[in-house]
Amino acid sequence: MTKLPEAMTEMLQAKSNFNRTEAEYRFIETLTFSNFDEIVAMLDKSLTEDWMAMPVWARNLAFRLACLQAPKNHEIRRRAAADLRCFGPDWDGEAEQLEREAYHLEAMLSNGVKQEKAF
C-alpha cells in the first residue's frame, strides 16, 4: 500500500512555496507508483472531503493514470470525463474522447466481453 493519501494531504497543507513544491514532487512520485485501487481511493477521499481542494493538474494526472491502469474500465473513464467537464472548455475534446471510449467499453461489456479492472 502506498502512502498516497498522506502525500495528497501534505501537498494540500503545504504553506510555503518551497514546501509546496517539495510536497508536489512527493505526491507525483507516490502517485506514479500507486495502483488503480489506491488512486481511485485517493480520488474518492479527496474529492468527497473538499471537491475543489485538489488542484486540477493533480486530478487530471490521477484520472489519467487510473485510465491507463484499467484500460477496459468504462466507469473510470466516465468519472474522468465528468471531472474534466467541470473545468472549462479547454478539456471538452478530451472529455468527449473518454465518453466515447466508455460508451464503447460498456457496449462490449453488455455483449458479453469481460471487463477487466486492471491489466
Side-chain angles (χ1 to χ4, degrees), residues 42-77:
M42 181 272 305
L43 285 166
D44 289 343
K45 183 178 185 299
S46 62
L47 298 179
T48 300
E49 288 178 357
D50 185 353
W51 185 77
M52 289 301 295
M54 189 175 189
V56 175
W57 66 264
R59 300 159 82 107
N60 290 351
L61 181 59
F63 275 115
R64 180 68 175 156
L65 289 173
C67 288
L68 289 170
Q69 288 185 12
K72 295 184 180 178
N73 185 316
H74 66 280
E75 294 168 358
I76 195 64
R77 279 175 168 60

PDB file of all heavy atoms in Angstrom, residues 42-77:
ATOM      1  N   MET A  42      -7.875   7.402  -3.312  1.00  0.00           N
ATOM      2  CA  MET A  42      -7.408   8.754  -3.028  1.00  0.00           C
ATOM      3  C   MET A  42      -8.344   9.782  -3.675  1.00  0.00           C
ATOM      4  O   MET A  42      -8.715  10.783  -3.059  1.00  0.00           O
ATOM      5  CB  MET A  42      -5.975   8.935  -3.546  1.00  0.00           C
ATOM      6  CG  MET A  42      -5.355  10.299  -3.285  1.00  0.00           C
ATOM      7  SD  MET A  42      -5.648  11.575  -4.539  1.00  0.00           S
ATOM      8  CE  MET A  42      -5.076  10.800  -6.029  1.00  0.00           C
ATOM      9  N   LEU A  43      -8.740   9.545  -4.929  1.00  0.00           N
ATOM     10  CA  LEU A  43      -9.667  10.452  -5.601  1.00  0.00           C
ATOM     11  C   LEU A  43     -10.992  10.519  -4.846  1.00  0.00           C
ATOM     12  O   LEU A  43     -11.524  11.606  -4.608  1.00  0.00           O
ATOM     13  CB  LEU A  43      -9.902  10.008  -7.049  1.00  0.00           C
ATOM     14  CG  LEU A  43      -8.768  10.281  -8.022  1.00  0.00           C
ATOM     15  CD1 LEU A  43      -8.965   9.490  -9.316  1.00  0.00           C
ATOM     16  CD2 LEU A  43      -8.649  11.767  -8.315  1.00  0.00           C
ATOM     17  N   ASP A  44     -11.517   9.353  -4.481  1.00  0.00           N
ATOM     18  CA  ASP A  44     -12.787   9.325  -3.741  1.00  0.00           C
ATOM     19  C   ASP A  44     -12.695  10.135  -2.463  1.00  0.00           C
ATOM     20  O   ASP A  44     -13.566  10.953  -2.169  1.00  0.00           O
ATOM     21  CB  ASP A  44     -13.182   7.885  -3.400  1.00  0.00           C
ATOM     22  CG  ASP A  44     -13.613   7.081  -4.609  1.00  0.00           C
ATOM     23  OD1 ASP A  44     -13.915   7.686  -5.662  1.00  0.00           O
ATOM     24  OD2 ASP A  44     -13.651   5.843  -4.497  1.00  0.00           O
ATOM     25  N   LYS A  45     -11.630   9.914  -1.713  1.00  0.00           N
ATOM     26  CA  LYS A  45     -11.461  10.591  -0.419  1.00  0.00           C
ATOM     27  C   LYS A  45     -11.291  12.096  -0.604  1.00  0.00           C
ATOM     28  O   LYS A  45     -11.993  12.894   0.022  1.00  0.00           O
ATOM     29  CB  LYS A  45     -10.256  10.015   0.311  1.00  0.00           C
ATOM     30  CG  LYS A  45     -10.019  10.595   1.693  1.00  0.00           C
ATOM     31  CD  LYS A  45      -8.822   9.927   2.356  1.00  0.00           C
ATOM     32  CE  LYS A  45      -8.595  10.352   3.780  1.00  0.00           C
ATOM     33  NZ  LYS A  45      -8.333  11.747   3.973  1.00  0.00           N
ATOM     34  N   SER A  46     -10.372  12.499  -1.462  1.00  0.00           N
ATOM     35  CA  SER A  46     -10.080  13.925  -1.584  1.00  0.00           C
ATOM     36  C   SER A  46     -11.227  14.691  -2.239  1.00  0.00           C
ATOM     37  O   SER A  46     -11.530  15.817  -1.833  1.00  0.00           O
ATOM     38  CB  SER A  46      -8.776  14.157  -2.345  1.00  0.00           C
ATOM     39  OG  SER A  46      -8.871  13.665  -3.652  1.00  0.00           O
ATOM     40  N   LEU A  47     -11.898  14.099  -3.215  1.00  0.00           N
ATOM     41  CA  LEU A  47     -12.988  14.809  -3.889  1.00  0.00           C
ATOM     42  C   LEU A  47     -14.251  14.835  -3.041  1.00  0.00           C
ATOM     43  O   LEU A  47     -15.079  15.729  -3.202  1.00  0.00           O
ATOM     44  CB  LEU A  47     -13.253  14.197  -5.265  1.00  0.00           C
ATOM     45  CG  LEU A  47     -12.077  14.286  -6.247  1.00  0.00           C
ATOM     46  CD1 LEU A  47     -12.421  13.627  -7.576  1.00  0.00           C
ATOM     47  CD2 LEU A  47     -11.628  15.719  -6.456  1.00  0.00           C
ATOM     48  N   THR A  48     -14.395  13.888  -2.130  1.00  0.00           N
ATOM     49  CA  THR A  48     -15.543  13.886  -1.221  1.00  0.00           C
ATOM     50  C   THR A  48     -15.346  14.885  -0.086  1.00  0.00           C
ATOM     51  O   THR A  48     -16.278  15.604   0.284  1.00  0.00           O
ATOM     52  CB  THR A  48     -15.768  12.467  -0.643  1.00  0.00           C
ATOM     53  OG1 THR A  48     -16.013  11.578  -1.722  1.00  0.00           O
ATOM     54  CG2 THR A  48     -16.939  12.435   0.312  1.00  0.00           C
ATOM     55  N   GLU A  49     -14.138  14.933   0.441  1.00  0.00           N
ATOM     56  CA  GLU A  49     -13.868  15.821   1.579  1.00  0.00           C
ATOM     57  C   GLU A  49     -13.924  17.293   1.201  1.00  0.00           C
ATOM     58  O   GLU A  49     -14.495  18.105   1.924  1.00  0.00           O
ATOM     59  CB  GLU A  49     -12.504  15.495   2.185  1.00  0.00           C
ATOM     60  CG  GLU A  49     -12.489  14.192   2.943  1.00  0.00           C
ATOM     61  CD  GLU A  49     -11.115  13.842   3.496  1.00  0.00           C
ATOM     62  OE1 GLU A  49     -10.138  14.594   3.251  1.00  0.00           O
ATOM     63  OE2 GLU A  49     -11.008  12.817   4.172  1.00  0.00           O
ATOM     64  N   ASP A  50     -13.294  17.653   0.098  1.00  0.00           N
ATOM     65  CA  ASP A  50     -13.283  19.049  -0.356  1.00  0.00           C
ATOM     66  C   ASP A  50     -13.067  19.031  -1.862  1.00  0.00           C
ATOM     67  O   ASP A  50     -11.935  18.977  -2.341  1.00  0.00           O
ATOM     68  CB  ASP A  50     -12.172  19.842   0.342  1.00  0.00           C
ATOM     69  CG  ASP A  50     -12.199  21.318  -0.013  1.00  0.00           C
ATOM     70  OD1 ASP A  50     -12.995  21.723  -0.896  1.00  0.00           O
ATOM     71  OD2 ASP A  50     -11.423  22.076   0.581  1.00  0.00           O
ATOM     72  N   TRP A  51     -14.141  19.094  -2.598  1.00  0.00           N
ATOM     73  CA  TRP A  51     -14.122  18.883  -4.041  1.00  0.00           C
ATOM     74  C   TRP A  51     -13.134  19.801  -4.766  1.00  0.00           C
ATOM     75  O   TRP A  51     -12.495  19.394  -5.717  1.00  0.00           O
ATOM     76  CB  TRP A  51     -15.540  19.062  -4.584  1.00  0.00           C
ATOM     77  CG  TRP A  51     -15.644  18.752  -6.027  1.00  0.00           C
ATOM     78  CD1 TRP A  51     -15.678  17.513  -6.600  1.00  0.00           C
ATOM     79  CD2 TRP A  51     -15.712  19.685  -7.104  1.00  0.00           C
ATOM     80  NE1 TRP A  51     -15.761  17.618  -7.963  1.00  0.00           N
ATOM     81  CE2 TRP A  51     -15.786  18.955  -8.289  1.00  0.00           C
ATOM     82  CE3 TRP A  51     -15.705  21.070  -7.165  1.00  0.00           C
ATOM     83  CZ2 TRP A  51     -15.871  19.558  -9.534  1.00  0.00           C
ATOM     84  CZ3 TRP A  51     -15.790  21.670  -8.408  1.00  0.00           C
ATOM     85  CH2 TRP A  51     -15.873  20.914  -9.576  1.00  0.00           C
ATOM     86  N   MET A  52     -12.971  21.021  -4.319  1.00  0.00           N
ATOM     87  CA  MET A  52     -12.105  21.977  -5.014  1.00  0.00           C
ATOM     88  C   MET A  52     -10.682  22.048  -4.459  1.00  0.00           C
ATOM     89  O   MET A  52      -9.852  22.775  -4.980  1.00  0.00           O
ATOM     90  CB  MET A  52     -12.718  23.374  -4.986  1.00  0.00           C
ATOM     91  CG  MET A  52     -13.935  23.525  -5.873  1.00  0.00           C
ATOM     92  SD  MET A  52     -13.604  23.164  -7.615  1.00  0.00           S
ATOM     93  CE  MET A  52     -12.465  24.450  -8.032  1.00  0.00           C
ATOM     94  N   ALA A  53     -10.369  21.300  -3.423  1.00  0.00           N
ATOM     95  CA  ALA A  53      -9.040  21.390  -2.807  1.00  0.00           C
ATOM     96  C   ALA A  53      -7.954  20.799  -3.702  1.00  0.00           C
ATOM     97  O   ALA A  53      -6.850  21.335  -3.778  1.00  0.00           O
ATOM     98  CB  ALA A  53      -9.029  20.697  -1.451  1.00  0.00           C
ATOM     99  N   MET A  54      -8.247  19.730  -4.382  1.00  0.00           N
ATOM    100  CA  MET A  54      -7.248  19.059  -5.217  1.00  0.00           C
ATOM    101  C   MET A  54      -7.020  19.861  -6.493  1.00  0.00           C
ATOM    102  O   MET A  54      -7.964  20.141  -7.231  1.00  0.00           O
ATOM    103  CB  MET A  54      -7.728  17.643  -5.550  1.00  0.00           C
ATOM    104  CG  MET A  54      -6.711  16.785  -6.222  1.00  0.00           C
ATOM    105  SD  MET A  54      -7.406  15.113  -6.405  1.00  0.00           S
ATOM    106  CE  MET A  54      -5.967  14.252  -6.958  1.00  0.00           C
ATOM    107  N   PRO A  55      -5.780  20.243  -6.776  1.00  0.00           N
ATOM    108  CA  PRO A  55      -5.504  21.032  -7.988  1.00  0.00           C
ATOM    109  C   PRO A  55      -5.919  20.272  -9.254  1.00  0.00           C
ATOM    110  O   PRO A  55      -5.844  19.042  -9.309  1.00  0.00           O
ATOM    111  CB  PRO A  55      -3.985  21.219  -7.958  1.00  0.00           C
ATOM    112  CG  PRO A  55      -3.565  20.922  -6.560  1.00  0.00           C
ATOM    113  CD  PRO A  55      -4.565  19.976  -5.997  1.00  0.00           C
ATOM    114  N   VAL A  56      -6.341  21.016 -10.247  1.00  0.00           N
ATOM    115  CA  VAL A  56      -6.806  20.408 -11.497  1.00  0.00           C
ATOM    116  C   VAL A  56      -5.717  19.535 -12.118  1.00  0.00           C
ATOM    117  O   VAL A  56      -5.992  18.429 -12.594  1.00  0.00           O
ATOM    118  CB  VAL A  56      -7.285  21.493 -12.491  1.00  0.00           C
ATOM    119  CG1 VAL A  56      -7.659  20.881 -13.825  1.00  0.00           C
ATOM    120  CG2 VAL A  56      -8.464  22.254 -11.908  1.00  0.00           C
ATOM    121  N   TRP A  57      -4.464  19.983 -12.104  1.00  0.00           N
ATOM    122  CA  TRP A  57      -3.394  19.189 -12.708  1.00  0.00           C
ATOM    123  C   TRP A  57      -3.244  17.848 -11.998  1.00  0.00           C
ATOM    124  O   TRP A  57      -2.977  16.825 -12.644  1.00  0.00           O
ATOM    125  CB  TRP A  57      -2.056  19.949 -12.718  1.00  0.00           C
ATOM    126  CG  TRP A  57      -1.480  20.222 -11.363  1.00  0.00           C
ATOM    127  CD1 TRP A  57      -1.611  21.365 -10.636  1.00  0.00           C
ATOM    128  CD2 TRP A  57      -0.707  19.325 -10.553  1.00  0.00           C
ATOM    129  NE1 TRP A  57      -0.960  21.241  -9.424  1.00  0.00           N
ATOM    130  CE2 TRP A  57      -0.397  19.999  -9.353  1.00  0.00           C
ATOM    131  CE3 TRP A  57      -0.233  18.028 -10.732  1.00  0.00           C
ATOM    132  CZ2 TRP A  57       0.349  19.418  -8.335  1.00  0.00           C
ATOM    133  CZ3 TRP A  57       0.513  17.450  -9.709  1.00  0.00           C
ATOM    134  CH2 TRP A  57       0.802  18.139  -8.538  1.00  0.00           C
ATOM    135  N   ALA A  58      -3.448  17.831 -10.666  1.00  0.00           N
ATOM    136  CA  ALA A  58      -3.322  16.589  -9.903  1.00  0.00           C
ATOM    137  C   ALA A  58      -4.492  15.654 -10.196  1.00  0.00           C
ATOM    138  O   ALA A  58      -4.324  14.437 -10.324  1.00  0.00           O
ATOM    139  CB  ALA A  58      -3.244  16.892  -8.408  1.00  0.00           C
ATOM    140  N   ARG A  59      -5.688  16.222 -10.335  1.00  0.00           N
ATOM    141  CA  ARG A  59      -6.869  15.427 -10.684  1.00  0.00           C
ATOM    142  C   ARG A  59      -6.681  14.801 -12.054  1.00  0.00           C
ATOM    143  O   ARG A  59      -6.935  13.608 -12.240  1.00  0.00           O
ATOM    144  CB  ARG A  59      -8.106  16.312 -10.725  1.00  0.00           C
ATOM    145  CG  ARG A  59      -8.441  17.009  -9.447  1.00  0.00           C
ATOM    146  CD  ARG A  59      -9.329  18.203  -9.722  1.00  0.00           C
ATOM    147  NE  ARG A  59     -10.712  17.866  -9.867  1.00  0.00           N
ATOM    148  CZ  ARG A  59     -11.630  18.139  -8.974  1.00  0.00           C
ATOM    149  NH1 ARG A  59     -11.315  18.781  -7.870  1.00  0.00           N
ATOM    150  NH2 ARG A  59     -12.878  17.795  -9.166  1.00  0.00           N
ATOM    151  N   ASN A  60      -6.266  15.632 -13.022  1.00  0.00           N
ATOM    152  CA  ASN A  60      -6.083  15.125 -14.386  1.00  0.00           C
ATOM    153  C   ASN A  60      -5.056  13.995 -14.419  1.00  0.00           C
ATOM    154  O   ASN A  60      -5.268  12.970 -15.075  1.00  0.00           O
ATOM    155  CB  ASN A  60      -5.644  16.251 -15.328  1.00  0.00           C
ATOM    156  CG  ASN A  60      -6.736  17.254 -15.599  1.00  0.00           C
ATOM    157  OD1 ASN A  60      -7.885  17.070 -15.234  1.00  0.00           O
ATOM    158  ND2 ASN A  60      -6.370  18.343 -16.243  1.00  0.00           N
ATOM    159  N   LEU A  61      -3.949  14.193 -13.724  1.00  0.00           N
ATOM    160  CA  LEU A  61      -2.902  13.177 -13.687  1.00  0.00           C
ATOM    161  C   LEU A  61      -3.406  11.890 -13.035  1.00  0.00           C
ATOM    162  O   LEU A  61      -3.188  10.792 -13.547  1.00  0.00           O
ATOM    163  CB  LEU A  61      -1.672  13.708 -12.947  1.00  0.00           C
ATOM    164  CG  LEU A  61      -0.478  12.761 -12.838  1.00  0.00           C
ATOM    165  CD1 LEU A  61       0.018  12.339 -14.217  1.00  0.00           C
ATOM    166  CD2 LEU A  61       0.634  13.425 -12.046  1.00  0.00           C
ATOM    167  N   ALA A  62      -4.098  12.010 -11.922  1.00  0.00           N
ATOM    168  CA  ALA A  62      -4.610  10.828 -11.221  1.00  0.00           C
ATOM    169  C   ALA A  62      -5.620  10.070 -12.078  1.00  0.00           C
ATOM    170  O   ALA A  62      -5.536   8.836 -12.207  1.00  0.00           O
ATOM    171  CB  ALA A  62      -5.242  11.240  -9.894  1.00  0.00           C
ATOM    172  N   PHE A  63      -6.554  10.795 -12.683  1.00  0.00           N
ATOM    173  CA  PHE A  63      -7.529  10.124 -13.547  1.00  0.00           C
ATOM    174  C   PHE A  63      -6.845   9.496 -14.761  1.00  0.00           C
ATOM    175  O   PHE A  63      -7.187   8.393 -15.178  1.00  0.00           O
ATOM    176  CB  PHE A  63      -8.629  11.089 -13.995  1.00  0.00           C
ATOM    177  CG  PHE A  63      -9.753  11.216 -13.006  1.00  0.00           C
ATOM    178  CD1 PHE A  63      -9.993  12.421 -12.368  1.00  0.00           C
ATOM    179  CD2 PHE A  63     -10.577  10.143 -12.718  1.00  0.00           C
ATOM    180  CE1 PHE A  63     -11.039  12.547 -11.461  1.00  0.00           C
ATOM    181  CE2 PHE A  63     -11.630  10.251 -11.811  1.00  0.00           C
ATOM    182  CZ  PHE A  63     -11.860  11.464 -11.181  1.00  0.00           C
ATOM    183  N   ARG A  64      -5.867  10.181 -15.323  1.00  0.00           N
ATOM    184  CA  ARG A  64      -5.158   9.646 -16.490  1.00  0.00           C
ATOM    185  C   ARG A  64      -4.442   8.341 -16.141  1.00  0.00           C
ATOM    186  O   ARG A  64      -4.517   7.359 -16.879  1.00  0.00           O
ATOM    187  CB  ARG A  64      -4.156  10.680 -17.007  1.00  0.00           C
ATOM    188  CG  ARG A  64      -3.371  10.234 -18.207  1.00  0.00           C
ATOM    189  CD  ARG A  64      -4.265  10.121 -19.409  1.00  0.00           C
ATOM    190  NE  ARG A  64      -3.460   9.812 -20.586  1.00  0.00           N
ATOM    191  CZ  ARG A  64      -3.939   9.225 -21.646  1.00  0.00           C
ATOM    192  NH1 ARG A  64      -5.211   8.904 -21.714  1.00  0.00           N
ATOM    193  NH2 ARG A  64      -3.170   8.973 -22.660  1.00  0.00           N
ATOM    194  N   LEU A  65      -3.752   8.332 -15.021  1.00  0.00           N
ATOM    195  CA  LEU A  65      -3.054   7.112 -14.610  1.00  0.00           C
ATOM    196  C   LEU A  65      -4.043   5.989 -14.313  1.00  0.00           C
ATOM    197  O   LEU A  65      -3.789   4.829 -14.658  1.00  0.00           O
ATOM    198  CB  LEU A  65      -2.163   7.386 -13.405  1.00  0.00           C
ATOM    199  CG  LEU A  65      -0.921   8.229 -13.705  1.00  0.00           C
ATOM    200  CD1 LEU A  65      -0.195   8.574 -12.409  1.00  0.00           C
ATOM    201  CD2 LEU A  65       0.007   7.517 -14.663  1.00  0.00           C
ATOM    202  N   ALA A  66      -5.168   6.310 -13.692  1.00  0.00           N
ATOM    203  CA  ALA A  66      -6.186   5.288 -13.418  1.00  0.00           C
ATOM    204  C   ALA A  66      -6.731   4.714 -14.723  1.00  0.00           C
ATOM    205  O   ALA A  66      -6.896   3.493 -14.855  1.00  0.00           O
ATOM    206  CB  ALA A  66      -7.307   5.869 -12.570  1.00  0.00           C
ATOM    207  N   CYS A  67      -6.983   5.576 -15.702  1.00  0.00           N
ATOM    208  CA  CYS A  67      -7.478   5.095 -17.002  1.00  0.00           C
ATOM    209  C   CYS A  67      -6.444   4.221 -17.704  1.00  0.00           C
ATOM    210  O   CYS A  67      -6.791   3.214 -18.321  1.00  0.00           O
ATOM    211  CB  CYS A  67      -7.854   6.276 -17.901  1.00  0.00           C
ATOM    212  SG  CYS A  67      -9.367   7.129 -17.406  1.00  0.00           S
ATOM    213  N   LEU A  68      -5.184   4.582 -17.602  1.00  0.00           N
ATOM    214  CA  LEU A  68      -4.128   3.778 -18.216  1.00  0.00           C
ATOM    215  C   LEU A  68      -3.967   2.429 -17.520  1.00  0.00           C
ATOM    216  O   LEU A  68      -3.658   1.428 -18.171  1.00  0.00           O
ATOM    217  CB  LEU A  68      -2.801   4.534 -18.205  1.00  0.00           C
ATOM    218  CG  LEU A  68      -2.711   5.718 -19.156  1.00  0.00           C
ATOM    219  CD1 LEU A  68      -1.448   6.525 -18.874  1.00  0.00           C
ATOM    220  CD2 LEU A  68      -2.741   5.256 -20.603  1.00  0.00           C
ATOM    221  N   GLN A  69      -4.179   2.401 -16.223  1.00  0.00           N
ATOM    222  CA  GLN A  69      -4.038   1.153 -15.483  1.00  0.00           C
ATOM    223  C   GLN A  69      -5.246   0.232 -15.650  1.00  0.00           C
ATOM    224  O   GLN A  69      -5.135  -0.968 -15.418  1.00  0.00           O
ATOM    225  CB  GLN A  69      -3.805   1.437 -13.998  1.00  0.00           C
ATOM    226  CG  GLN A  69      -2.443   1.994 -13.725  1.00  0.00           C
ATOM    227  CD  GLN A  69      -2.178   2.150 -12.240  1.00  0.00           C
ATOM    228  OE1 GLN A  69      -2.907   1.646 -11.398  1.00  0.00           O
ATOM    229  NE2 GLN A  69      -1.117   2.859 -11.924  1.00  0.00           N
ATOM    230  N   ALA A  70      -6.378   0.780 -16.020  1.00  0.00           N
ATOM    231  CA  ALA A  70      -7.593  -0.016 -16.215  1.00  0.00           C
ATOM    232  C   ALA A  70      -8.175   0.305 -17.597  1.00  0.00           C
ATOM    233  O   ALA A  70      -9.203   0.968 -17.710  1.00  0.00           O
ATOM    234  CB  ALA A  70      -8.596   0.268 -15.117  1.00  0.00           C
ATOM    235  N   PRO A  71      -7.515  -0.142 -18.643  1.00  0.00           N
ATOM    236  CA  PRO A  71      -7.901   0.264 -19.989  1.00  0.00           C
ATOM    237  C   PRO A  71      -9.282  -0.218 -20.438  1.00  0.00           C
ATOM    238  O   PRO A  71      -9.827   0.329 -21.392  1.00  0.00           O
ATOM    239  CB  PRO A  71      -6.804  -0.332 -20.870  1.00  0.00           C
ATOM    240  CG  PRO A  71      -6.229  -1.444 -20.079  1.00  0.00           C
ATOM    241  CD  PRO A  71      -6.370  -1.039 -18.641  1.00  0.00           C
ATOM    242  N   LYS A  72      -9.862  -1.181 -19.746  1.00  0.00           N
ATOM    243  CA  LYS A  72     -11.189  -1.670 -20.130  1.00  0.00           C
ATOM    244  C   LYS A  72     -12.257  -1.315 -19.099  1.00  0.00           C
ATOM    245  O   LYS A  72     -13.339  -1.890 -19.096  1.00  0.00           O
ATOM    246  CB  LYS A  72     -11.139  -3.186 -20.350  1.00  0.00           C
ATOM    247  CG  LYS A  72     -10.258  -3.548 -21.530  1.00  0.00           C
ATOM    248  CD  LYS A  72     -10.287  -5.023 -21.814  1.00  0.00           C
ATOM    249  CE  LYS A  72      -9.381  -5.317 -23.006  1.00  0.00           C
ATOM    250  NZ  LYS A  72      -9.335  -6.735 -23.293  1.00  0.00           N
ATOM    251  N   ASN A  73     -11.983  -0.341 -18.256  1.00  0.00           N
ATOM    252  CA  ASN A  73     -12.913   0.069 -17.216  1.00  0.00           C
ATOM    253  C   ASN A  73     -13.665   1.317 -17.681  1.00  0.00           C
ATOM    254  O   ASN A  73     -13.114   2.420 -17.709  1.00  0.00           O
ATOM    255  CB  ASN A  73     -12.149   0.343 -15.919  1.00  0.00           C
ATOM    256  CG  ASN A  73     -13.055   0.656 -14.754  1.00  0.00           C
ATOM    257  OD1 ASN A  73     -14.008   1.412 -14.882  1.00  0.00           O
ATOM    258  ND2 ASN A  73     -12.749   0.073 -13.613  1.00  0.00           N
ATOM    259  N   HIS A  74     -14.938   1.121 -18.046  1.00  0.00           N
ATOM    260  CA  HIS A  74     -15.729   2.249 -18.556  1.00  0.00           C
ATOM    261  C   HIS A  74     -16.096   3.239 -17.452  1.00  0.00           C
ATOM    262  O   HIS A  74     -16.245   4.434 -17.705  1.00  0.00           O
ATOM    263  CB  HIS A  74     -16.979   1.755 -19.278  1.00  0.00           C
ATOM    264  CG  HIS A  74     -17.975   1.073 -18.398  1.00  0.00           C
ATOM    265  ND1 HIS A  74     -17.846  -0.233 -17.997  1.00  0.00           N
ATOM    266  CD2 HIS A  74     -19.110   1.524 -17.834  1.00  0.00           C
ATOM    267  CE1 HIS A  74     -18.860  -0.574 -17.236  1.00  0.00           C
ATOM    268  NE2 HIS A  74     -19.640   0.484 -17.115  1.00  0.00           N
ATOM    269  N   GLU A  75     -16.222   2.767 -16.230  1.00  0.00           N
ATOM    270  CA  GLU A  75     -16.635   3.639 -15.131  1.00  0.00           C
ATOM    271  C   GLU A  75     -15.601   4.719 -14.833  1.00  0.00           C
ATOM    272  O   GLU A  75     -15.962   5.879 -14.619  1.00  0.00           O
ATOM    273  CB  GLU A  75     -16.911   2.809 -13.881  1.00  0.00           C
ATOM    274  CG  GLU A  75     -18.099   1.888 -14.047  1.00  0.00           C
ATOM    275  CD  GLU A  75     -18.216   0.859 -12.944  1.00  0.00           C
ATOM    276  OE1 GLU A  75     -17.350   0.831 -12.049  1.00  0.00           O
ATOM    277  OE2 GLU A  75     -19.175   0.080 -12.985  1.00  0.00           O
ATOM    278  N   ILE A  76     -14.326   4.361 -14.818  1.00  0.00           N
ATOM    279  CA  ILE A  76     -13.298   5.374 -14.512  1.00  0.00           C
ATOM    280  C   ILE A  76     -13.194   6.387 -15.647  1.00  0.00           C
ATOM    281  O   ILE A  76     -12.944   7.570 -15.413  1.00  0.00           O
ATOM    282  CB  ILE A  76     -11.924   4.733 -14.164  1.00  0.00           C
ATOM    283  CG1 ILE A  76     -11.000   5.767 -13.487  1.00  0.00           C
ATOM    284  CG2 ILE A  76     -11.256   4.131 -15.393  1.00  0.00           C
ATOM    285  CD1 ILE A  76     -11.474   6.280 -12.169  1.00  0.00           C
ATOM    286  N   ARG A  77     -13.432   5.948 -16.869  1.00  0.00           N
ATOM    287  CA  ARG A  77     -13.422   6.888 -17.996  1.00  0.00           C
ATOM    288  C   ARG A  77     -14.570   7.887 -17.884  1.00  0.00           C
ATOM    289  O   ARG A  77     -14.394   9.070 -18.153  1.00  0.00           O
ATOM    290  CB  ARG A  77     -13.485   6.129 -19.318  1.00  0.00           C
ATOM    291  CG  ARG A  77     -12.139   5.616 -19.698  1.00  0.00           C
ATOM    292  CD  ARG A  77     -12.157   4.752 -20.935  1.00  0.00           C
ATOM    293  NE  ARG A  77     -10.807   4.528 -21.412  1.00  0.00           N
ATOM    294  CZ  ARG A  77      -9.848   3.939 -20.718  1.00  0.00           C
ATOM    295  NH1 ARG A  77     -10.079   3.516 -19.503  1.00  0.00           N
ATOM    296  NH2 ARG A  77      -8.641   3.786 -21.218  1.00  0.00           N
TER     297      ARG A  77
END
